[in-house]
Amino acid sequence: MGYEIHKYDIAIVGGGGAGLRAAIAIAQTNPALRVALVSKVYPMRSHTVSAEGGAAAVIKDNDSFNDHIMDTITGSDWLADQDAVELFVNEAPAEMIQLEHWGCPWSREPDGKIAVRPFGGMKIERTWYAADKTGFHMLHTLYQTSLKYDNVINYDEWFATKILVENGRCQGVTALELRSGRLEVIAAKAVILCTGGAGRIFPFTTNGAIKTGDGMAMAYRAGVALKDMEFVQYHPTGLPGTGILITEAARGEGGILVNKDGYRYLQDYDLGKPLEVTDPRHPVKKSMELGPRDRLSQAFVKELEKGHTIPGQYGEVVHLDLRHLGEKKIDKKIPFVRELATKYAGIDPVYDPIPVRPVVHYIMGGVDTDIHGATSIPGLFAAGEVACVSINGANRLGSNSLTELLVFGARAGRVAARFATEHPELDIVSLEKQGADEQERIAKNFIRKKGGSERAATLRQEMTTTMEFGAGIYRSEASLKETSNKLTELRDRFPNILVEDRSLTFNTELTSVLELDFMLDVAQTIAHSALARTESRGSHQRTDCPERNDQKFLKHSLAFCTDGPPRIEYKDVVITRWPPAERVYGR
């Protein structure tokens, strides 16, 4: 391994939507600041590209900021910080319009105005979209815009391994150049984490292979709390076998869910709101398919328990029926859904229903930040799914997250630019030593290590299996204790891991081991946070504690790193103008 220090004003870790938006904000705030954009994949392969359905912001005359705020707070089961939600909703439209000015091809109404579609948990249509490739077009727009700024330097295919803290503040990261195997220091006066979520901790997920919780684990090890990690969102419509997402837009355009009897089973659950138009073959006066994601996923489990689901090659499924929409509407509004179903399920939704089942989609929790993206470590910021502001609380509303990337990516970028300007000094000597120590840790424990009997693939499979068993859609004290104990065992076994590939160039075995190391940390925060929260709220459903308990748990959980399992503490949710109430739909 070689060794070098790269000096920048700001380092952004993660090249997706939040990272690119932060980079642009920094360049616009102070063009003199040099920015390192560190990404373990080429930025256009970041997971933002896979988002399909849309991004929420108030734009129509029949909508209001108050309505969007209330939908978000209700959807969060009152665990969202209301000051963050209000700020987010108010800043969202300007960010979306800015993206249009940069070239994002939003879908249009016949009169040329922005088109919006309904999304789950939103009482009003406010989800902007670009057909059903919204994330793809947003990421392209942000990336091509970032190329205008010469002060943004891309470190593509560099894998960050550690946050460097010196003199009480963050001063950079260490990163592994995947092509050469060199581990080097990227020194910076401020660091912004934009590394996305951690869905790969579970076996069946919409998340790409890169979403392994790297940023969460690095911040956790540096001493920042991970907040609300027990809240893991399942999306109700994933393709069996692959986990590929069938976007909520398919239901927003009128798709329905039916069980083995062809029965639109969601009418039996408390999910919906009045509909103006219904499928004449299913005249139910509820927008059931546009209930919140947590409740739709829970309804699937109930149907499974009743024996009403459909056996398939990859387990039990229900059907997403789009046939009544017709070929013309499907090809215009959700063409990618047809493409995905045809290629990956062998189903043409124009003629046949699509088999679907709930799939892990989003981590509501993350690095604890304030409304500016700042963490408890001066100079360290976070934005996007890696962060927990929190606007999502116990359940994220679909289409809020893409807008969150823009709003809080921009805010983190501007505040980090100010911090870097006000704190120009760097302790290069100490950073060199930390970099050398990290280089030695990786070499000694993995590249030069002799022996070892544990396979990364085996440990990873055991981790994902126990997470699905104990920390899935429904949890209990017994299942969570079993999962927590299993994760402790896996953590104890990890030092005995075997790395057979001793090469340095694109050593994918090494990177998979480093990712597994991060995932085990994040998995433990999820399991222990869930075990400590003895109530049911949003996506966290305890069969042994089925009621919401505001008196004890109207609080954010905070998981802190220790020498063993995480230490769980709590802090109050920010309540401003909207007091907690019963979360009801369709009554």
Side-chain angles (χ1 to χ4, degrees):
M1 290 186 180
Y3 189 69
E4 186 178 342
I5 286 191
H6 306 257
K7 298 177 185 177
Y8 287 88
D9 294 295
I10 300 172
I12 299 171
V13 184
L20 289 169
R21 184 64 188 94
I24 295 166
I26 294 164
Q28 291 179 330
T29 300
N30 186 347
L33 294 175
R34 296 183 70 242
V35 180
L37 188 65
V38 183
S39 176
K40 70 177 177 180
V41 295
Y42 178 65
M44 283 309 305
R45 293 189 62 226
S46 299
H47 201 62
T48 306
V49 79
S50 69
E52 301 168 34
V58 174
I59 190 67
K60 297 299 184 182
D61 292 338
N62 67 330
D63 201 358
S64 71
F65 288 157
N66 193 72
D67 286 327
H68 192 183
I69 291 167
M70 197 63 217
D71 284 349
T72 300
I73 292 170
T74 303
S76 77
D77 220 346
W78 268 269
L79 206 72
D81 284 336
Q82 295 179 9
D83 58 341
V85 174
E86 192 165 4
L87 179 151
F88 161 73
V89 167
N90 278 275
E91 294 189 3
E95 283 291 333
M96 301 290 280
I97 292 168
Q98 177 64 77
L99 206 64
E100 182 195 20
H101 292 173
W102 286 334
C104 188
W106 299 117
S107 293
R108 301 280 176 172
E109 303 287 6
D111 63 2
K113 292 182 178 179
I114 292 290
V116 292
R117 61 170 42 127
F119 245 64
M122 304 264 193
K123 299 183 184 69
I124 297 170
E125 296 182 359
R126 67 170 62 92
T127 298
W128 304 36
Y129 61 95
D132 56 355
K133 293 186 178 180
T134 308
F136 173 88
H137 290 298
M138 286 179 62
L139 195 63
H140 268 269
T141 301
L142 290 166
Y143 184 59
Q144 68 191 20
T145 302
S146 74
L147 295 177
K148 297 193 304 182
Y149 300 101
D150 294 336
N151 59 324
V152 178
I153 311 300
N154 288 66
Y155 282 72
D156 297 344
E157 297 185 332
W158 284 68
F159 180 23
T161 66
K162 184 181 180 182
I163 292 167
L164 302 179
V165 179
E166 192 61 44
N167 299 328
R169 69 182 180 94
C170 179
Q171 297 195 29
V173 297
T174 55
L176 186 71
E177 185 186 35
L178 300 180
R179 181 177 62 182
S180 66
R182 295 177 301 152
L183 188 130
E184 300 182 352
V185 169
I186 299 178
K189 301 158 190 173
V191 171
I192 309 175
L193 297 174
C194 302
T195 54
R200 283 284 160 175
I201 289 169
F202 290 83
F204 187 61
T205 176
T206 64
N207 289 189
I210 60 174
K211 293 190 71 174
T212 51
D214 309 346
M216 294 178 183
M218 286 191 292
Y220 176 68
R221 294 176 183 181
V224 180
L226 297 188
K227 182 166 67 181
D228 292 343
M229 291 300 291
E230 61 268 43
F231 299 105
V232 178
Q233 182 171 83
Y234 279 73
H235 195 290
T237 54
L239 285 180
T242 63
I244 291 172
L245 178 69
I246 298 299
T247 173
E248 195 159 307
R251 289 173 279 126
E253 296 297 342
I256 60 172
L257 289 168
V258 297
N259 63 18
K260 71 174 185 179
D261 301 316
Y263 176 66
R264 196 176 175 190
Y265 62 88
L266 291 175
Q267 63 189 288
D268 296 341
Y269 300 90
D270 176 22
L271 299 164
K273 63 182 178 63
L275 255 187
E276 295 179 6
V277 180
T278 59
D279 171 23
R281 296 182 299 116
H282 300 272
V284 180
K285 300 299 181 182
K286 279 185 177 182
S287 175
M288 298 161 292
E289 284 75 14
L290 292 180
R293 291 173 176 176
D294 56 341
R295 294 198 174 176
L296 264 65
S297 298
Q298 292 154 22
F300 172 89
V301 175
K302 297 299 184 184
E303 289 295 296
L304 175 65
E305 292 171 350
K306 294 174 184 176
H308 293 168
T309 51
I310 305 159
Q313 180 182 358
Y314 300 101
E316 298 292 318
V317 299
V318 291
H319 279 153
L320 175 61
D321 194 349
L322 309 178
R323 291 174 294 178
H324 54 283
L325 303 182
E327 185 171 13
K328 183 178 180 180
K329 183 172 183 178
I330 289 173
D331 285 345
K332 180 181 179 181
K333 294 292 188 72
I334 46 174
F336 196 43
V337 167
R338 188 178 187 185
E339 181 181 338
L340 289 173
T342 303
K343 287 184 176 180
Y344 295 99
I347 295 292
D348 187 339
V350 172
Y351 306 106
D352 296 293
I354 307 171
V356 293
R357 54 158 285 193
V359 53
V360 167
H361 184 55
Y362 191 92
I363 307 294
M364 266 76 73
V367 178
D368 182 22
T369 74
D370 65 14
I371 59 175
H372 305 294
T375 72
S376 58
I377 296 178
L380 180 63
F381 304 83
E385 191 178 353
V386 69
C388 184
V389 173
S390 155
I391 67 165
N392 298 313
N395 174 66
R396 176 180 71 87
L397 291 191
S399 75
N400 268 353
S401 60
L402 285 180
T403 317
E404 180 184 357
L405 299 177
L406 303 173
V407 171
F408 291 101
R411 290 181 69 82
R414 289 190 290 265
V415 175
R418 189 180 313 125
F419 184 93
T421 303
E422 295 171 353
H423 298 79
E425 73 286 347
L426 287 170
D427 191 338
I428 296 300
V429 173
S430 295
L431 296 180
E432 285 179 337
K433 183 181 185 307
Q434 286 198 53
D437 290 344
E438 178 69 357
Q439 185 183 57
E440 177 62 18
R441 179 186 76 87
I442 292 174
K444 179 181 177 181
N445 293 341
F446 307 116
I447 295 296
R448 296 201 309 261
K449 178 184 174 183
K450 295 181 180 179
S453 59
E454 296 286 357
R455 299 279 183 176
T458 301
L459 295 184
R460 187 165 177 163
Q461 183 178 34
E462 291 183 29
M463 173 191 67
T464 61
T465 299
T466 196
M467 289 300 290
E468 181 76 10
F469 162 76
I473 294 174
Y474 283 98
R475 298 103 177 254
S476 68
E477 180 180 18
S479 73
L480 287 165
K481 280 184 175 178
E482 184 173 337
T483 292
S484 298
N485 291 338
K486 180 64 177 180
L487 292 172
T488 298
E489 175 203 319
L490 295 175
R491 174 49 76 197
D492 291 342
R493 288 162 57 189
F494 181 82
N496 196 33
I497 203 156
L498 170 67
V499 178
E500 292 184 302
D501 186 353
R502 302 305 171 96
S503 66
L504 297 179
T505 301
F506 287 112
N507 188 334
T508 55
E509 186 179 12
L510 173 62
T511 54
S512 69
V513 167
L514 294 173
E515 288 172 334
L516 174 61
D517 195 10
F518 286 148
M519 286 192 288
L520 286 171
D521 277 0
V522 177
Q524 284 190 304
T525 68
I526 293 173
H528 285 271
S529 297
L531 181 60
R533 185 177 289 273
T534 52
E535 67 158 356
S536 289
R537 185 187 298 266
S539 65
H540 173 69
Q541 292 294 306
R542 289 278 297 258
T543 56
D544 52 339
C545 307
E547 301 300 322
R548 195 178 90 183
N549 184 348
D550 284 351
Q551 185 175 357
K552 185 175 181 182
F553 286 111
L554 188 63
K555 296 178 182 296
H556 297 298
S557 65
L558 298 172
F560 289 91
C561 187
T562 71
D563 291 335
R567 182 180 81 253
I568 307 300
E569 296 181 6
Y570 293 92
K571 72 175 180 180
D572 291 338
V573 173
V574 177
I575 305 293
T576 57
R577 297 191 286 133
W578 297 272
E582 185 181 2
R583 183 183 177 216
V584 295
Y585 293 90
R587 288 184 183 173

